[in-house]
Amino acid sequence: MITSPIPVFPLGLVLLPGTPVPLHLFEPRYRAMLRDVSAGTKRFGIIAPPPLTSEADLPVGRIGCIALVTAQETLPDGRSNIIVEGQERFRFETWLEIGTPYRVAHIDEWTDRSEEPVALELAASELRTLATRALIASMTLHDIEGDPPEFGEDPATLAYQVAQLLMLDNDIQYELLANRSPLSRLRRVEEILAERLPDIEDAADLHRRGGADEDADPAGAE
């Protein structure tokens, strides 16, 4: 559940719901923020300012994501390595001046629209199939054995998980974050993945055949 006001970390990355991200905190203001949230809810907001926009000039209506601290390592010099997981999204309203060294914002909820469950499940199934193929090909390229990791069952967050896997540009990730239609998000990511998948699978097939040739003739004998 969203609470406002909340500490907010303006950052040049887009945190997506249901996805983990490692962060390295070194600025004194964010060390203070981490100490404060660790003593409470372990939650803060992450929001990516538009390009060439200072955090002080963050526009009203910019969409961010709540970050939950799931792991934390404090280094001897006071810096910290943490892992956060994206939670619910929020809409930025205004900065508040309450005497903290870090930014605090008044925010509002940003929730999905209700959509037809059957269409949503079908789109999720199609994306999950393509994403699993991409994972298998990627594992082949990196000589990783075993079964590919499974994606979550929630259609509302599946597009976010696949987007992180594809390492999409910030502008596309923000587009997905701000999109209130789960069906539209699924179709958008499926479109991107369908375009990239042939190259990924061709590279994996070439890697596989190259490895087979080496096994058949390890010494390079004629």
Side-chain angles (χ1 to χ4, degrees):
M1 184 172 106
I2 288 226
T3 58
S4 184
I6 191 169
V8 169
F9 189 174
L11 190 61
L13 67 80
V14 177
L15 178 65
L16 299 172
T19 64
V21 170
L23 296 176
H24 178 67
L25 303 185
F26 59 90
E27 288 188 52
R29 58 176 173 162
Y30 295 122
R31 296 185 197 181
M33 182 193 74
L34 181 61
R35 286 195 299 269
D36 290 349
V37 301
S38 296
T41 64
K42 297 187 177 181
R43 286 159 52 95
F44 61 94
I46 289 181
I47 195 163
L52 305 179
T53 302
S54 69
E55 59 185 56
D57 296 324
L58 190 71
V60 173
R62 188 73 174 173
I63 305 304
C65 185
I66 298 295
L68 174 67
V69 180
T70 59
Q72 177 178 341
E73 175 194 21
T74 301
L75 304 176
D77 62 2
R79 294 175 296 129
S80 291
N81 294 317
I82 65 173
I83 296 176
V84 300
E85 181 174 307
Q87 304 283 292
E88 63 266 47
R89 296 167 296 167
F90 63 85
R91 180 183 188 272
F92 172 77
E93 297 294 335
T94 187
W95 294 123
L96 301 173
E97 297 295 335
I98 61 173
T100 57
Y102 49 84
R103 295 277 183 182
V104 173
H106 173 60
I107 62 175
D108 202 355
E109 292 184 342
W110 188 255
T111 56
D112 280 338
R113 297 192 297 266
S114 178
E115 294 187 312
E116 210 281 315
V118 174
L120 205 56
E121 289 293 343
L122 179 60
S125 176
E126 292 171 350
L127 178 57
R128 194 175 286 110
T129 297
L130 287 184
T132 300
R133 285 172 54 187
L135 273 176
I136 292 172
S138 179
M139 291 170 65
T140 298
L141 281 169
H142 294 89
D143 299 313
I144 299 173
E145 298 182 353
D147 296 327
E150 294 185 359
F151 291 97
E153 294 297 320
D154 182 10
T157 58
L158 177 62
Y160 298 136
Q161 295 170 353
V162 179
Q164 186 184 58
L165 169 71
L166 294 174
M167 295 185 290
L168 299 180
D169 292 341
N170 257 17
D171 56 347
I172 298 178
Q173 292 201 40
Y174 182 78
E175 172 194 327
L176 295 170
L177 184 72
N179 192 331
R180 303 179 78 173
S181 166
L183 186 59
S184 174
R185 292 197 301 266
L186 289 166
R187 288 173 174 168
R188 175 74 169 113
V189 176
E190 181 186 0
E191 175 187 7
I192 295 170
L193 182 53
E195 182 178 334
R196 297 186 182 186
L197 186 59
D199 288 341
I200 299 171
E201 291 188 325
D202 285 348
D205 186 54
L206 186 62
H207 181 80
R208 187 185 302 109
R209 288 190 282 111
D213 291 343
E214 291 174 4
D215 291 342
D217 187 13
E222 295 182 0

